[in-house]
Structure formats: C-alpha cells, structure tokens
Amino acid sequence: AFLDLTGPSEITGVWKGPTTLPCIYVPVKGFVQQMLTWTVVRGQSSGTVFRRDGSGDHILLSEYRDRVSVLKDNPGNVSLHILSLEVSDRGTYTCQVTWSGSNNSLTAREITTKVEVVKVAATKPIIRAGELGLTVPAGASTSLTCVASGSPPISYRWFRSTPGGKALLLSSQAELAWDSLQPSDAGEYYCEAENR
C-alpha cells in the first residue's frame, strides 16, 4: 500500500545483545521524509528515544545515548538499532514517519512493536566439587558448601548415602553444617543442585 510502514508487532531480544526494531517503507517519488521519531512506553513512563529531522539525529532519552542508531542513506529503512539491550528497555515502541508531498501536504504513518527482553538461554547447573575425603576431629564444627553455576534461581539439597543405597535428605540449603561432629557422622555426603 501507499507509504505504509512494515515491521513485526513483537520482538524478543537477548539481554546485553544487539537488537533491531524493524520499520520499513517503500519510498514514493515526490514524497520526502521530513521526520522520523521512535517513541517508547515503558510501564508508567514514556518518551522519545530517537528523532531524525532537518537538523539531524537526536537521542532524547539519556538512557539510550550511545546505544541506539538508525541507518543513514538507506531510503525506506528507518529501523532502530539498539547496541546493547537492557532489561529496562522492555516496552512498546512506536515508529512514526512524516513525509511532505506536492503542495507541502504532510502524510504521517506509524507502527508499534512490543519489545520483550530475555536474560539468556537457560543453562543447567554445574557443581564445583568440594574437597573429597575430608577428615575432621570429633567435637569440631565444620560445614560442606555446595556451589553451582547456571541460570538462577538454583536450589540445593544435601544427602547422606546410607548402606543399602537409601539416601537421607539432610538439608535444603547450599550449606550443610555441624556444631559438634560425632564419629557417627562419618560417611559419604552428596549435593544436588536444581534450576528450571
């Protein structure tokens, strides 16, 4: 259709990664782009992220400074490029273009794109092994700590192996602690880490 903007209604970007919000039109002979604005509504706040007019390019929201741009000399492509996506960037973005035609008539079009930000692909927890074969004097206090890397939140469980292979759940914390060790506490303990 005549001077229509096209772009997706929704985009999901990865936190800290580069993201493009497409906004494209087919240039029409005799119509000159006068102004381009990218505005955003985030929760209760809204504002102009980027404006291109006769005086040049302007980034009006300080939190987008040095992070956003629109290609130059690429007629019809007014997509917004975000260098590094922040979680606070999630919101609804509007691309609005105004053209002047013959006898100075103005034509304006806009499209909106919802932006969602995801942290990162989920990763399984990997447990960093503690010291094996720990020997501690009776009566002393000690603790075993489970440390895992992966997508938060991570939950921990400590078990004790018993003869016959049954496992006893001892703790749902990352740390398993003893105030005063008894000889009966000797044995094998293992940790389990779990996330989504």
Side-chain angles (χ1 to χ4, degrees):
F2 173 68
L3 285 177
D4 266 351
L5 300 176
T6 54
S9 58
E10 207 163 316
I11 276 182
T12 300
V14 175
W15 181 49
K16 297 292 185 194
T19 305
T20 298
L21 280 56
C23 185
I24 311 283
Y25 67 89
V26 178
V28 174
K29 207 174 149 88
F31 284 81
V32 179
Q33 180 181 310
Q34 289 298 313
M35 184 141 92
L36 159 72
T37 55
W38 274 99
T39 53
V40 65
V41 177
R42 298 175 305 187
Q44 302 303 308
S45 70
S46 64
T48 301
V49 177
F50 181 95
R51 186 174 75 227
R52 174 173 289 171
D53 55 25
S55 65
D57 291 356
H58 312 277
I59 295 168
L60 288 96
L61 284 174
S62 59
E63 59 266 42
Y64 289 95
R65 215 151 274 158
D66 304 323
R67 288 201 295 129
V68 298
S69 63
V70 173
L71 286 177
K72 282 185 167 66
D73 312 317
N74 199 336
N77 185 347
V78 288
S79 306
L80 184 72
H81 300 281
I82 304 179
L83 190 64
S84 172
L85 204 60
E86 296 295 342
V87 174
S88 57
D89 291 341
R90 54 168 65 126
T92 303
Y93 290 74
T94 301
C95 170
Q96 186 187 52
V97 180
T98 306
W99 300 267
S100 62
S102 52
N103 64 35
N104 288 340
S105 62
L106 293 176
T107 304
R109 296 276 189 274
E110 63 177 45
I111 57 165
T112 59
T113 301
K114 193 168 166 249
V115 173
E116 198 38 76
V117 182
V118 291
K119 272 293 176 77
V120 68
T123 54
K124 284 183 179 176
I126 297 167
I127 296 176
R128 227 175 43 228
E131 200 180 329
L132 293 172
L134 198 59
T135 305
V136 187
S141 63
T142 192
S143 67
L144 296 173
T145 304
C146 193
V147 182
S149 60
S151 308
I154 299 176
S155 62
Y156 298 95
R157 295 196 298 175
W158 274 102
F159 295 92
R160 180 176 183 178
S161 304
T162 58
K166 263 182 74 74
L168 279 169
L169 175 63
L170 300 174
S171 165
S172 296
Q173 306 291 314
E175 187 179 48
L176 181 61
W178 291 265
D179 291 334
S180 174
L181 279 164
Q182 302 306 312
S184 58
D185 292 323
E188 280 190 5
Y189 296 82
Y190 67 91
C191 157
E192 184 181 272
E194 182 179 25
N195 66 1
R196 285 173 306 187

